[in-house]
Amino acid sequence: MKLRLVTLAGDGIGPEVTRQAMRVLHAVAAVTGLKVDIAEHPIGAAGLKAAGVPLPEPTLAACLAADAVYLGAVGDPAYDAQPPHLRPEAGLLALRTALGGFANLRPAVAFEPLLDVTPLRPERVRGADILVVRELLGGLYFAEPRGYSPARDVAFNTLQYSVAEVERVARVAFESARSRRRLVTSVDKANVLETSRLWRETVIRVGADYPDVTLKHMYVDACAMRLAIAPTEFDVILTDNLFGDILSDEAAVVSGSLGLLPSATLGGKVALYEPVHGSAPDIAGKDIANPIGAIGCVALLLRHTAHMPREADAVDAAVREVLAHGLRTADVARPGEHAATTTEVGAAIERAVVDALERHWSYHGV
Ligand code: IPM
Ligand code: MG
């Protein structure tokens, strides 16, 4: 198979973590014979600098013609005062809409070797394995009307969901639960919001098609607390766009760092892979950012687009192996411990993946 991939390294730490993710992908390709054709394009502040807009036309056209898109990060405080359509984030939101992926999968696992660095108590976090399924194309982020009043004394956004929007993302959550622990926790604010009532009624109806999956409901405020107190209670968390944005950052605390989380956006014309972290301008260009979220995106890409589950598992296993050996970037290093660079961690994961795959391939004589 030939994989046509567009990479959008973007802003801040985006380019440096993307470099490590692509070295791992190239290594997998070299061992397995997977052909990868990569085209790089600007987005976000990089798009604004190159073409005056956060999502330049050639970038969008290339993404729509690809098998998958990988995005590093967008965001640059230099554009904070710009109107919304000229901010870097507008490029990402427009890209998500154009690609059409509505289900954003954000796995967050407790890495055993990192239990000593999570701010949560290790005995509470051990074994946590959560998949946040975030609705990505609707809700407060996109619904109209929205605006800032001309007098600038009022601003407003609209929270709206249709049954169809909830149904399609709910199906992804139930399907995902079938290959996991068969529990979906649907998170809403149905005690206050009409949209949440529609959300809950729809999820219950879809859930009836999945009698083998247990469905629970939780208010978002309670969920925010339970995630910190008892993260092992969760399997799949199904929630809307804004709640999913917030809860997935919180789920990162269970893993140990926001830098560890990858995501896959499925259901549209072209799949989109992006780490959950932002552009982290304060540490950009220093080779200290954690590349594991970005490398985790390669595992998700191999699993969901290239349909190479064994190679995806090998990437995930290599990440665990390197963490277990104590090679850690500053965000997950123990206090006083020497921190590894972005490049060192990427190189070590690449080596571990190649070793594992070569062992497997020579074993099978392929
Ligand atoms: C995320 C990010 C984005 C979002 C920003 C950069 C627009 O926070 O992917 O979680 O809010 O969706
Ligand atoms: Mg976010």
Side-chain angles (χ1 to χ4, degrees):
M1 144 176 206
K2 180 159 185 180
L3 181 71
R4 286 167 308 157
L5 180 68
V6 168
T7 61
L8 311 171
D11 310 324
I13 60 169
E16 54 205 283
V17 297
T18 299
R19 219 169 292 129
Q20 302 312 314
M22 291 307 121
R23 82 188 292 164
V24 172
L25 179 61
H26 283 304
V28 171
V31 179
T32 61
L34 170 73
K35 295 200 172 33
V36 194
D37 173 14
I38 295 182
E40 298 174 18
H41 288 272
I43 194 170
L48 284 156
K49 281 175 201 143
V53 286
L55 180 61
E57 195 48 51
T59 297
L60 177 60
C63 290
L64 286 170
D67 295 318
V69 176
Y70 164 92
L71 178 131
V74 296
D76 183 338
Y79 296 87
D80 278 358
Q82 292 296 314
H85 70 283
L86 288 179
R87 291 182 55 122
E89 291 81 358
L92 173 56
L93 296 176
L95 177 70
R96 286 177 180 169
T97 302
L99 298 183
F102 53 83
N104 180 222
L105 275 48
R106 302 189 154 189
V109 297
F111 291 100
E112 186 70 27
L114 295 184
L115 289 181
D116 55 343
V117 295
T118 80
L120 304 175
R121 290 224 296 274
E123 68 272 20
R124 290 192 169 173
V125 172
R126 176 169 288 120
D129 180 356
I130 301 167
L131 177 69
V132 177
V133 177
R134 170 188 178 192
E135 197 292 325
L136 203 65
L137 291 188
L140 265 178
Y141 273 60
F142 290 104
E144 298 282 345
R146 61 187 293 158
Y148 220 121
S149 87
R152 303 194 71 75
D153 56 351
V154 178
F156 51 96
N157 294 89
T158 300
L159 176 51
Q160 175 180 304
Y161 268 110
S162 70
V163 168
E165 283 174 311
V166 180
E167 241 173 46
R168 61 185 190 176
V169 72
R171 288 206 184 278
V172 173
F174 284 105
E175 293 291 340
S176 305
R178 279 192 163 156
S179 56
R180 299 172 48 95
R181 299 194 310 286
R182 294 177 188 262
L183 168 65
V184 170
T185 305
S186 174
V187 175
D188 61 36
K189 189 71 185 172
N191 51 344
V192 178
L193 303 173
E194 284 81 0
T195 42
S196 281
R197 278 182 34 214
L198 177 140
W199 180 279
R200 195 177 277 217
E201 287 161 13
T202 307
V203 172
I204 290 172
R205 202 159 23 71
V206 172
D209 292 343
Y210 299 85
D212 53 318
V213 177
T214 304
L215 171 61
K216 287 189 187 165
H217 303 276
M218 207 178 271
Y219 296 139
V220 63
D221 47 355
C223 178
M225 187 188 68
R226 296 303 301 170
L227 259 180
I229 289 182
T232 55
E233 265 180 16
F234 295 96
D235 178 17
V236 175
I237 292 178
L238 164 64
T239 193
D240 81 359
N241 205 344
L242 182 67
F243 296 160
D245 179 45
I246 298 166
L247 293 176
S248 57
D249 270 34
E250 192 185 347
V253 178
V254 172
S255 280
S257 164
L258 192 51
L260 296 163
L261 263 54
S263 87
T265 303
L266 308 176
K269 292 189 277 283
V270 182
L272 171 65
Y273 299 89
E274 42 175 322
V276 172
H277 64 68
S279 61
D282 50 326
I283 59 164
K286 298 182 177 164
D287 201 28
I288 59 173
N290 194 331
I292 290 180
I295 292 170
C297 290
V298 170
L300 291 173
L301 167 80
L302 291 168
R303 197 178 302 284
H304 295 288
T305 297
H307 305 293
M308 297 169 73
R310 199 181 53 212
E311 288 72 12
D313 288 346
V315 173
D316 286 336
V319 166
R320 284 168 195 278
E321 190 184 319
V322 167
L323 287 175
H325 280 128
L327 199 68
R328 302 158 174 203
T329 42
D331 56 326
V332 286
R334 288 193 199 90
E337 178 184 78
H338 168 76
T341 64
T342 309
T343 311
E344 283 166 348
V345 172
I349 293 171
E350 178 192 351
R351 266 195 310 277
V353 174
V354 169
D355 281 356
L357 290 177
E358 277 179 348
R359 264 198 314 274
H360 179 92
W361 284 69
S362 59
Y363 180 74
H364 287 273
V366 187

